[in-house]
Amino acid sequence: MTIVQFEPRDGILDLGWGHPLPELLPAAAWATAAASALDTYGWKALTYGHAPGPAPLREWIAARTNEQSADCTFVTAGASHGLTLVAQVLAEPGDTVLVDSPTYHYAFRILTDRGLRLVPVRAEDADEVGRQARRHRAAFLYVVPTFGNPTGRSLSPGQRRALAAQDLPIVEDDPYRELYYDRSPPPFTDANVISLGSFSKTVAPGLRLGWITATPDLVARLARVGSVHSGGGVNHTTALTMAEFAASGAYGKHVALLRERYRTHRDVLSEAINADRPDGGWFLWLRLPDGVDAESLLAVAERHGTSFVPGPRFFADRRGGSDRVRLSFSLLPPAELTEAARRLKLALRSVSGQ
Ligand code: PMP
């Protein structure tokens, strides 16, 4: 009986999945919020909603993300759904989109499903982005600018300004922004940036709940997309429950707990494997010793009882990343992270013949 996206594989301590530690999913607090939403809104919590999302949640999102008004916010079924909708509204099949390289690999599928052509660029290089945007008349740039997946790195304020000065819309996929372990990261502040938010990392991915912030005009266009319009929005009941979860203070408390716990995860794994520490998010982007190929290492690592995602999978053209692997420190508790790192080091030793 299959219920969840992945079941642990026997004998493998898996550093591949960007999933939350199960005990950090807030089951009891969510149950309280669900009861409270039904108490507060009664039947209105269970009927068709308002297409851009219910006002209490849109207002909370606007305040949390420093948007001028709730009219700039749109409730989605997660960042993946947000990207699907944005690709539908901002691009036509056959159009080109620029994708930062490396970047979140599942975004490639979402964009190619819409019939879009992907051109990899480096978001740190705003001039290159501008050149490629003009050359391909690109519909937009896709980038994960904060605690990126897979690199863990963030664009600086200057890099953000330089990108925003290019003449194309920027779609920033930003699900890790709240998970900072040292200091809060810089935002994009420009009108041509469309932001995809998510409750998957801060509350629970099974909710399938997130948001888009954009201009009121784009929000109105999103609300007219057929599937959104006909369903009276998406996840109305879940969205009202989230509004209660936020208003009760449970959200703030939970995010503070996540920062504490995942900071420890980050420290344990980066020390055990001698990798650079990202300032937030869930990933280490480990550089392999000279001559070790990421895809070949994977088979050996799995024989040693651990796993990861090889670097090339995060490059739209697969050209790059053979000397890198993405390690996720979110799913396993600290003691298992230490053991997974030990196994990975054994695998590395066996392939590099040391
Ligand atoms: N974007 C990025 C960069 C991610 O890392 C993830 C989660 N792996 C997602 C989107 C998916 O988010 P959601 O669950 O909100 O669709």
Side-chain angles (χ1 to χ4, degrees), residues 18-19 76-82 103-107 142 144 148-149 173-176 196-201 205 208-210 282-283 326:
H19 285 202
T76 66
S80 315
H81 179 236
T103 199
Y104 176 51
H105 51 330
Y106 288 127
Y142 170 82
V144 185
N149 183 355
D173 187 1
D174 208 19
Y176 300 100
L196 310 178
S198 178
F199 292 107
S200 288
K201 318 296 170 181
R208 309 310 305 133
L209 195 69
W282 279 358
F283 307 109
R326 189 196 75 176

Side-chain angles (χ1 to χ4, degrees), residues 49-73:
H50 179 47
L57 185 62
R58 294 175 75 202
E59 280 161 17
W60 181 84
I61 291 167
R64 188 96 187 166
T65 57
N66 295 319
E67 286 297 329
Q68 282 171 359
S69 88
D71 292 345
C72 300
T73 69

Side-chain angles (χ1 to χ4, degrees), residues 73-292:
T73 69
F74 179 91
V75 174
T76 66
S80 315
H81 179 236
L83 183 59
T84 308
L85 289 177
V86 165
Q88 196 174 330
V89 169
L90 290 188
E92 295 294 329
D95 283 355
T96 294
V97 295
L98 307 184
V99 291
D100 188 21
S101 194
T103 199
Y104 176 51
H105 51 330
Y106 288 127
F108 303 150
R109 269 287 297 286
I110 294 174
L111 297 169
T112 55
D113 279 356
R114 171 69 176 147
L116 303 176
R117 284 196 327 119
L118 310 186
V119 170
V121 291
R122 285 175 313 122
E124 294 92 356
D125 186 346
D127 292 339
E128 185 203 350
V129 170
R131 262 194 314 278
Q132 297 284 34
R134 285 187 295 278
R135 178 163 167 217
H136 297 282
R137 295 199 194 160
F140 58 85
L141 165 72
Y142 170 82
V143 59
V144 185
T146 311
F147 315 136
N149 183 355
T151 65
R153 283 200 294 268
S154 301
L155 293 178
S156 69
Q159 288 170 327
R160 287 169 200 253
R161 275 194 302 277
L163 264 188
Q166 306 303 318
D167 192 20
L168 91 162
I170 296 171
V171 176
E172 68 154 342
D173 187 1
D174 208 19
Y176 300 100
R177 163 164 299 276
E178 298 253 34
L179 296 180
Y180 57 83
Y181 307 130
D182 303 305
R183 67 199 76 81
S184 81
F188 267 116
T189 49
D190 304 81
N192 60 342
V193 176
I194 296 141
S195 190
L196 310 178
S198 178
F199 292 107
S200 288
K201 318 296 170 181
T202 49
V203 185
L207 304 176
R208 309 310 305 133
L209 195 69
W211 67 89
I212 296 170
T213 59
T215 59
D217 174 58
L218 186 64
V219 167
R221 285 168 66 197
L222 292 165
R224 285 196 296 271
V225 167
S227 60
V228 173
H229 189 77
S230 75
V234 292
N235 279 336
H236 173 62
T237 307
T238 312
L240 279 175
T241 303
M242 181 60 72
E244 294 289 298
F245 190 81
S248 71
Y251 179 89
K253 249 193 255 163
H254 191 61
V255 169
L257 171 72
L258 296 183
R259 288 189 191 124
E260 285 301 312
R261 298 285 297 270
Y262 289 131
R263 179 190 294 116
T264 303
H265 286 217
R266 174 200 66 175
D267 291 346
V268 164
L269 186 62
S270 49
E271 266 160 46
I273 201 78
N274 294 325
D276 287 343
R277 283 197 326 183
D279 297 331
W282 279 358
F283 307 109
L284 302 185
W285 188 226
L286 182 70
R287 186 189 289 283
L288 300 176
D290 284 350
V292 177

